[in-house]
Amino acid sequence: MADKDSVKHFPVSWEELHRHAKALAWRMAEKGPWQGIVAVTRGGLVPAAIIARELDIRLIDTVCISSYDHQNQREARVLKGFDGDGEGWLIIDDLVDTGKTATVLRKMIPKAHFATIYAKPAGRPLVDTFITEVSQDTWIYFPWDVELQFTQPIAQQRGGL
Ligand SMILES: O=P(O)(O)OC[C@H]1O[C@H](OP(=O)(O)OP(=O)(O)O)[C@H](O)[C@@H]1O
Ligand SMILES: O=c1[nH]c(=O)c2nc[nH]c2[nH]1
Ligand SMILES: [Mg+2]
């Protein structure tokens, strides 16, 4: 699991996220039609909205799972599940990291197609479709979690060149 000691940061802008979500929508358009979308809260909500718009899907359900307190992983807590085996449904989450959330989803909704925008190697085998892979020691920063702020020039960060 990438955690707060991770060395690599992967900040994603709104524009990049929109572009990657649309790339996922193109891939999913080829594999449809879909009965509906299951958005995995909360990270899957924004990608699911973009994909629902592109694929003209109006039926959207949620599965509510929480497994991180900020960057610290704990037991996955299912706050709301899904009825049915998921045949014809598309599950959307923002990313797979360790694959813990994906494992819960697979067991809960075995026949759905599971798609994420980003995947790290440990979770990758559990996703049917993803757009971009990042290394396991990378933390992805989503646009809804960050704000623009001043950052030290590299020379100062390195203590003067
Ligand atoms: O592969 P894993 O190690 O399980 O990690 C991936 C999950 O972790 C994050 O959700 P989180 O539980 O932090 O909740 P959030 O979507 O509400 O931010 C992310 O949105 C994925 O759902
Ligand atoms: O914002 C996030 N970035 C990540 O890389 C990650 N991994 C698990 N959960 C995550 N949340
Ligand atoms: Mg999540």
Side-chain angles (χ1 to χ4, degrees):
M1 174 187 70
D3 58 22
K4 58 184 177 303
D5 300 322
S6 299
V7 282
K8 295 174 198 146
H9 291 198
F10 185 85
V12 180
S13 69
W14 283 110
E15 286 78 11
E16 284 168 327
L17 184 89
H18 194 185
R19 192 154 34 85
H20 287 153
K22 280 184 80 162
L24 185 54
W26 276 105
R27 300 271 298 278
M28 294 301 92
E30 290 159 12
K31 294 184 191 289
W34 303 102
Q35 294 258 337
I37 287 178
V38 181
V40 185
T41 71
R42 295 162 301 178
L45 288 169
V46 172
I50 294 166
I51 290 159
R53 188 266 179 188
E54 296 302 330
L55 303 188
D56 199 21
I57 293 171
R58 310 279 172 146
L59 186 58
I60 300 172
D61 205 338
T62 56
V63 165
C64 305
I65 303 183
S66 155
S67 63
Y68 285 80
D69 284 320
H70 187 39
Q71 294 182 359
N72 301 308
Q73 195 175 34
R74 49 170 168 68
E75 272 315 294
R77 239 182 260 145
V78 178
L79 307 171
K80 177 189 168 294
F82 178 85
D83 286 333
D85 62 12
E87 178 89 55
W89 283 75
L90 175 59
I91 305 174
I92 298 290
D93 205 354
D94 51 356
L95 68 103
V96 277
D97 186 324
T98 64
K100 201 178 202 181
T101 305
T103 302
V104 172
L105 288 163
R106 285 286 190 204
K107 215 172 281 173
M108 185 193 295
I109 320 174
K111 294 200 174 156
H113 187 100
F114 181 39
T116 63
I117 299 184
Y118 304 106
K120 300 185 192 180
R124 186 185 161 156
L126 291 155
V127 213
D128 294 309
T129 307
F130 67 92
I131 297 299
T132 300
E133 182 165 357
V134 301
S135 64
Q136 200 65 42
D137 60 350
T138 294
W139 191 263
I140 301 166
Y141 289 89
F142 288 99
W144 50 83
D145 280 335
V146 298
E147 59 184 21
L148 288 178
Q149 61 171 310
F150 176 80
T151 185
Q152 291 282 355
I154 292 167
Q156 261 95 70
Q157 288 180 38
R158 301 183 72 225
L161 292 174

